[in-house]
Amino acid sequence: MAGHLPRGAMLVVARLTRSWRPRYARSPMQISNFPVLQMHKSQTAMRASQKDFESAVNQMKLLTKDPGNEMKLKLYALYKQATEGPCNMPKPGMLDLISKAKWDAWSALGSLPKETAKQNYVELVSSLSSSASSSQGKPDADSKQPGYETLVVTSENGITKIMLNRPTKKNAITTQMYQEIMLALEAAAKDDSAITVLTGNGDYYCSGNDLNNFTDIPPGGVEEKAKNSAILLRDFVGCFIDFPKPLIAVVNGPAVGISVTLLGLFDIVYASDRATFHTPFSHLGQSPEGCSSYMFPKIMGSAKAAEMLIFGKKLTAREACAQGLVTEVFPDSTFQKEVWTRLKAYSKLPPNAMRISKQLIRNVEKEKLHAINSEESSVLQGRWLSDECTNAIMNFLSRKAKL
Ligand SMILES: CCCCCCCCCCC/C=C/C(=O)SCCNC(=O)CCNC(=O)[C@H](O)C(C)(C)COP(=O)(O)OP(=O)(O)OC[C@H]1O[C@@H](n2cnc3c(N)ncnc32)[C@H](O)[C@@H]1OP(=O)(O)O
């Protein structure tokens, strides 16, 4: 049966998926990003872990809309209580209004235990993020575009931002997400923004293809699934090849698989120094896509490209920058601030000039890139039916393997 997924293996994959359960409770912050999971609010009553608390603190840094003074005071007080315990500052003078308001809010928490304060903080941030996502329709709502379940798409200040939004799954790309990214790119190509940005929500940029995409086998069998997936992949990568405006990747954390290979088709790649770049195709019994079989040797030379694409060498952000895959690396602590300041300035440049310059740089190779994309997709169609690939996916799903 070599070269075909044996029927038995398909059943094993289906069984493993059914019994596959989360290994840890997700943070309320992350749950709030999934409308379907918001029904299970009881989970937010669970004790918040240090990780949940830190991710809520980071989430607050990314908040684009001012939550208002009252909310900021509550968050401030809970944060102080969670990190330092009961208020230990001398009472400020009556005329120092801001310090007094902060002091009042913190002292009002009395001897609330640190753990409870942490949990309340996480829940409050979670409720903030759900009300932000449900305020889309209101006139004063920010520019968040409706209709996406796996992405948050916003457009303001001349920048369309497409944010992968499955943080609890490290932003792994499901079939639905491939479709939504294509729709978002199509819309961004036509909107009046000057530049388009792709980034990830949470601690990962993206963990690549969602390996559960392999388990949803249609009645036509695995061959039909592989054929349709190759078409999906070709169309998906095609949208990046054809994208007409400056396209920028804001790589906020580790990147795996297709989220790395696509970077060769971006015009700028900014990375946090926490990001890593990993293309473990051989480990997965697969082969490169995203035009990386052509772009990577072109960018970094064939020896370095081979180390990544054949041997799955994981690069740090600084190594990827030295190889030319990344434009610039920023310290994680100032990443968002520095990158968005830079992008806001770029977005004010004349949009037509930027678009024309991009096209001059990219158009010469467009046809070639489409041909490479078709070839890579068709080679992968064969790989997906191989025993090497089947075994690697089963190992991941049964928790025997992780990168
Ligand atoms: C028949 C053919 C159909 C094919 C359809 C294909 C369509 C186009 C394909 C295009 C080709 C693309 C290729 C690639 O991108 S190859 C790269 C694929 N990615 C991986 O192999 C990564 C797998 N993940 C991991 O190794 C680890 O999760 C990771 C190192 C990324 C993080 O480890 P960590 O310990 O920090 O976190 P967890 O493992 O606990 O992850 C948290 C939860 O997220 C889930 N997760 C993460 N990544 C993926 C993924 N890629 N697919 C599915 N699920 C993922 C993980 O399972 C955890 O979930 P639970 O909390 O529920 O356990």
Side-chain angles (χ1 to χ4, degrees):
M1 287 301 281
H4 290 273
L5 185 69
R7 194 176 141 66
M10 279 164 57
L11 293 175
V12 174
V13 170
R15 253 202 320 272
L16 286 169
T17 318
R18 270 201 300 275
S19 60
W20 191 33
R21 294 282 177 269
R23 278 173 297 153
Y24 56 81
R26 292 160 175 76
S27 75
M29 192 63 227
Q30 291 162 330
I31 286 169
S32 69
N33 291 315
F34 295 86
V36 72
L37 292 181
Q38 281 176 25
M39 284 182 292
H40 305 295
K41 270 282 186 202
S42 60
Q43 292 190 35
T44 60
M46 284 180 211
R47 212 177 162 79
S49 67
Q50 181 60 22
K51 204 172 155 195
D52 295 334
F53 178 64
E54 280 162 15
S55 92
V57 171
N58 285 332
Q59 197 69 34
M60 280 307 298
K61 291 183 198 149
L62 300 179
L63 213 64
T64 49
K65 213 172 162 215
D66 189 335
N69 286 342
E70 198 185 333
M71 178 60 85
K72 281 195 280 196
L73 277 175
K74 276 188 198 162
L75 287 163
Y76 164 81
L78 285 169
Y79 177 84
K80 295 292 273 183
Q81 191 85 9
T83 52
E84 294 178 33
C87 183
N88 52 11
M89 278 184 355
K91 190 172 180 176
M94 288 305 284
L95 294 178
D96 189 356
L97 294 178
I98 297 180
S99 305
K100 170 82 172 36
K102 285 168 141 182
W103 187 90
D104 286 344
W106 186 6
S107 336
L109 296 180
S111 57
L112 188 76
K114 278 186 171 181
E115 283 313 306
T116 316
K118 249 183 217 169
Q119 188 179 317
N120 293 355
Y121 181 93
V122 169
E123 285 179 7
L124 201 55
V125 174
S126 165
S127 72
L128 251 186
S129 107
S130 5
S131 65
S133 43
S134 63
S135 69
Q136 291 163 27
K138 293 186 190 154
D140 67 338
D142 65 18
S143 53
K144 186 170 179 273
Q145 295 169 16
Y148 298 101
E149 280 182 29
T150 63
L151 310 175
V152 175
V153 182
T154 51
S155 207
E156 52 196 340
N157 301 321
I159 306 176
T160 292
K161 176 169 98 173
I162 302 170
M163 183 165 71
L164 310 176
N165 192 30
R166 299 184 71 223
T168 56
K169 300 292 178 184
K170 312 289 182 195
N171 297 320
I173 311 179
T174 57
T175 307
Q176 179 185 6
M177 201 162 175
Y178 284 111
Q179 302 283 5
E180 290 192 359
I181 295 170
M182 287 194 276
L183 287 175
L185 285 175
E186 246 172 61
K190 293 189 208 126
D191 71 16
D192 56 8
S193 63
I195 61 177
T196 300
V197 173
L198 187 70
T199 191
N201 187 12
D203 61 343
Y204 257 64
Y205 173 65
C206 173
S207 64
N209 184 43
D210 189 313
L211 297 177
N212 291 297
N213 288 336
F214 286 88
T215 60
D216 175 23
I217 307 298
V222 71
E223 282 85 1
E224 182 187 306
K225 172 84 186 183
K227 190 171 154 217
N228 292 339
S229 300
I231 295 169
L232 173 70
L233 174 62
R234 191 198 58 205
D235 292 350
F236 177 72
V237 175
C239 289
F240 287 83
I241 298 173
D242 288 332
F243 195 72
K245 299 176 181 180
L247 185 60
I248 290 127
V250 170
V251 185
N252 53 298
V256 185
I258 190 163
S259 70
V260 177
T261 56
L262 282 173
L263 294 176
L265 301 174
F266 281 70
D267 303 299
I268 291 181
V269 179
Y270 289 145
S272 148
D273 60 6
R274 218 173 40 78
T276 50
F277 298 82
H278 194 190
T279 47
F281 299 125
S282 299
H283 299 70
L284 293 166
Q286 297 185 42
S287 49
E289 21 58 4
C291 294
S292 59
S293 60
Y294 174 69
M295 290 304 293
F296 276 28
K298 193 175 148 155
I299 291 169
M300 59 185 83
S302 52
K304 293 292 180 185
E307 244 189 333
M308 279 191 86
L309 296 177
I310 305 178
F311 301 105
K313 182 180 179 195
K314 190 198 281 187
L315 301 192
T316 62
R318 296 212 186 281
E319 286 167 339
C321 192
Q323 300 310 337
L325 185 62
V326 164
T327 313
E328 193 168 335
V329 181
F330 299 81
D332 192 57
S333 54
T334 54
F335 180 61
Q336 298 290 344
K337 193 162 174 267
E338 289 195 58
V339 161
W340 290 104
T341 305
R342 181 90 59 96
L343 293 178
K344 275 180 196 155
Y346 288 167
S347 71
K348 295 195 173 65
L349 292 170
N352 290 335
M354 287 199 286
R355 184 189 275 257
I356 288 167
S357 299
K358 164 165 182 161
Q359 288 172 8
L360 277 173
I361 296 170
R362 295 276 172 182
N363 278 3
V364 268
E365 294 222 294
K366 243 188 191 181
E367 262 183 50
K368 188 168 192 168
L369 289 174
H370 280 298
I372 288 158
N373 179 26
S374 295
E375 177 64 9
E376 287 177 346
S377 304
S378 129
V379 169
L380 259 176
Q381 181 178 339
R383 284 278 87 213
W384 290 328
L385 299 171
S386 71
D387 288 344
E388 285 180 349
C389 178
T390 307
N391 291 338
I393 304 300
M394 289 204 309
N395 279 340
F396 175 78
L397 295 180
S398 62
R399 294 308 184 200
K400 281 192 217 140
K402 196 178 269 198
L403 297 172

